[in-house]
Amino acid sequence: MKKLAWMGLSLSLVLILSGCSTIKGMGEDIRSIGGWISNGSDHVRENVGKNK
């Protein structure tokens, strides 16, 4: 299972890094990933509040 997780992480990094050819582009990609994580945590927080 760990091997599969590492393969998935490696593939994700390759795809992310191949999509941007500059440091600025990589920064934008990382910022967008941070936005996805932030939005996901907001949705979880809202749903946990509703289930109380």
Side-chain angles (χ1 to χ4, degrees):
M1 188 67 175
K2 286 183 182 181
K3 193 174 191 179
L4 182 62
W6 278 110
M7 288 175 59
L9 178 64
S10 298
L11 179 61
S12 298
L13 288 174
V14 167
L15 291 175
I16 289 169
L17 293 176
S18 68
C20 59
S21 59
T22 64
I23 296 296
K24 181 180 178 185
M26 186 168 63
E28 291 173 358
D29 291 344
I30 292 170
R31 183 177 51 183
S32 69
I33 292 170
W36 295 339
I37 293 170
S38 180
N39 288 339
S41 67
D42 290 342
H43 290 295
V44 169
R45 187 178 320 131
E46 290 172 4
N47 289 330
V48 167
K50 290 177 183 178
N51 292 332
K52 285 185 176 183

